[in-house]
Structures are given as C-alpha cells and as structure tokens.
Amino acid sequence: STQSTWVCALHCSYRLLLRGGCATGKTACLRELSTMLRIPLVHIHCSSNLSQQDIYGSFVPRVVNGKRSFEWQTSRLLQAFCEPSLIVLEDLNLAPSSVLQLLVPFLDLRRQFVQPPGFPEAVDLTKTLIFATVTTDSSAGTPKLPKAVADLFVACTLETLHEEELYSVACSRLETVIDPEQSDVDENVLELHMGLPANLQSETSFNLRDIIKFCDVFGSLWKCMIQRPKEAELAAYAALLVYAESQFVPYDQELARQEVYKSFGVKPDHLFPEIDVNYKEGRLGNIRLPIGTAPQASSSNEGFVYTRFAKRQLYKLAMAASTRRMVLLEGVTCSSKTSLVMEFSYLCRQKLVMVSMHAEIEVGDLIGGYAPTLASADFHSAFSAKITALLRILYSRLSSEKVVELAGSLSAKTDFLEALKLVESYLDTLNLPTALAEEATKLMTLSHTLLDRNHSPFTFVEGPLIRAMKSGEWLLLDNINSSQPSTLR
C-alpha cells in the first residue's frame, strides 16, 4: 500500500510527506524508492540549527596562488538540484519558521524554476523529487508543521508494522546465520517483543529497530564467539542486551531478564559462567575482541579491579561492541560507566578519545569549524624541510655555476611563495628521471599546501568526532544526555 501511495504522489502536483512514529520505515521506504528509480538519495536533516546558509550556501575563506579570498560554496541542497536525485527533508517540522519560508519555493510544484540568491543560474525543479518526513510520536513540545507548508504536500501516514511483518523482517535478517524453518529463534523473539511491554511496570514500547538490533547482535555473536554456544543461549544473549539492558528501572530490568530466560529456555548460570580475561590472546571469556593497533601500555585504568560484576559488565560491553553499532551505557552517578569503557578500550588496544558533553556543546565543537590561522615554528620547520629536500634534488642535477646562481637568488628572497616559485622554475628546466620527478612533484604539492594553510586567515580545524572517524579511534561522549537536543539531532 505504501508503494501505491508513492506512485500516486509521483504523478500529482504535490510533494509527498511521510508521517509516522519512530521505526515505521519512513526513510527506508525512500531509500528503496531511490534504488528503484536509480537516482541518488540526498538527506537534509532539519533541526533548530538549520539556517539560510544551509539552504543556499555561504562564502568560505580560500587561498589561491598565495592570495587570500572568499569563495562562494553552494549548499548540498542546491547541488542536488543539478542532477536527477531524490531529496529527503528529514524531520521537516523541526526546522525554524524562517527556513521553512525559504524552502516554500522549492516545494511548490507549480514552479518549474527557482532562482536562489548567489546561485549562477535558476534551479530546475523538474529534475528532482522532494520528499519530507515528520515523526508523529515525538516528545511534548515538538513543533508542528505550519499549515501553509503542510498544504504543499500529500500526506502519507505509515502505521506501526504488524506482527506478521515483524516476523518477516526477523526471518529475512536471521537467514544469513540460521535456517528459520528449522529454528524457533524468530518465533521466540517475536513473542518476547510483543508480550514484554504489558508485563513491565513503566510504560515501554518496542518497534522495528529492536527486532533489527536483536538480529544484528545475534549475527555478530555468531561470528565473534570462539566456542559457539547453543542457538537458544546465543539468542538469549542478544535478547538480554536489546530488551533487558535497555530498561532503566531495576525492577523492569530484572523482570525482562526473567522473561528472556523463560522465552528461550535457558538458565542464567549457563549464560554467565566464570569469565576470564586474556589480554595477550585478545579474548574476554568466549568473545574474540576487536583488537586495534594502539601501542601497548600499562592499564589505562590504574586500580581497576576485575570483580565478578566488573567482568560481567565488560562481557556485556564486548557483546554490544561486536555489532559495530553505537553503544549507550546508562547508569547512576559513579556506576563505573566511564571506567568500563576505558578498560575495555585498553583490552582491545584501541585509542579512546573522550569528550565531556554539556549544555553549551555545539555541533561545531564535535565536527569542527574555521579558526584563525597563526604562523608557528611548526610551519617554518616543515616548510624548510620540504625546500631542503627540493634543493637536494636540484643540487644533484645542476652545474656548479647554476648552484651558486640559485643560492644567491634564494638568499635575496624574503617571501616564502617567491622562493618556492624560484625553485619550481629551476626544476622545470631539468629532465628528471621518473622517480625523482615524482618525488619533486610530491614535495612541491606539500609545500604549496603548507603555504596555503599559513597564508589563509582561517583554517578548518577538524573536531574530535571527525578525527576519530577518519583515524578509526574510539570516541566516548561522556554524559551525552546533558547536551541540547538540537546538537544530538
């Protein structure tokens, strides 16, 4: 029925707005549609921080041939209009009203072209498909989409998946590791998924994402456990992580554990026997740890005591980390959340970067931003090293007269760029062997990069999140609940 709505919306004179609760398949439906149409999918995540610059673009500092300038950088939204694509405005209702007014011309299908300010030519709206999503079961205080904007859409409400649909998803995701026809894991987890909320003290609901998490944890443990346990025990491990550990109230957590043991017919003593920690073998109990390349050191958590409780907590952390998903640790003050992550990173030989989150943290503090450039001794030493390497190549190929001439000319230069251009002019006169030519080209490129950074009034400084993603480091966002919702989005 959802696909039928898509087809109707594609042929009407309105954009399509997908409404539904969390994990009802809004984004997944649009991802499938982009695959069917063979066009790229562009996500624009809306929040209270969305600004005019995010819609149109902005001027950014640049250095061209050693000269400082500002260059117009088109926004990702306008770039998407240059070729056939499918644009998704995620959580459109969270965007500020001023930004929504800027989006109205792009949403009105009666228009064929829109001329954005600063853009060289009018944008052709016929090349792209624009969809928007709104989450209907958000917390109290979430703004509603203004009627003037909502009227530009045909609304399609996605309902919560029914039991048979959840069963199909579970079977599909588990079939890579087990045969659903000869296993009752999928039936047991679905029974737990549907029946557990009614037995809990606090108001709790599970959705499609919980089923997917269970399947991911089950599949990951299937691969990383050294001695694979029984299928029911493996499923119980996954269910404990997804359905029991997610409960914050201790009573509900214990009740959920008992329901998991009952659903899969296992005993807790069989699930958590005495766990041994082997740093040299990269093993925690029966789990093979994701070993990194960080240099070995003494324990990063001096004084950490491996009690039976601490081993169990580390074991759960290892199970959660095996999925390569983000891991959330919840607990009261001084419940060893940070200490456990520090010790686990030590066991896995992974470099851990910690960021203390608070209400003043902004997106730029995590991702990065432009900062004033200051000349430093590091630049001078790095640039001198590159020039010295280039001169070594030149001196090995030039005559003694040319060497004296070059040395005299360089001593008269007071500007780094002029000195580099002089060296480059001498290199152009030589017919260097391939290996030397490649080395010289690389050194010239690095030298120009250093100069550009030094001459630019602003340099983009990467934040801890980007640095960790690029280098493969582990990132701990400590007290993430203290940050603003707009930052988390």
Side-chain angles (χ1 to χ4, degrees), residues 100 120 175 178 198 208 345 372 394 407 419-420 464 466:
L100 290 175
E175 65 183 5
I178 62 173
L208 174 62
S345 67
L394 282 174
L420 187 60
I466 300 299

Side-chain angles (χ1 to χ4, degrees), residues 467-486:
R467 290 198 300 269
M469 293 176 67
K470 291 176 68 174
S471 60
E473 300 169 348
W474 285 9
L475 181 66
L476 173 60
L477 301 177
D478 214 3
N479 295 321
I480 191 172
N481 57 314
S482 301
S483 56
Q484 296 292 339
S486 57

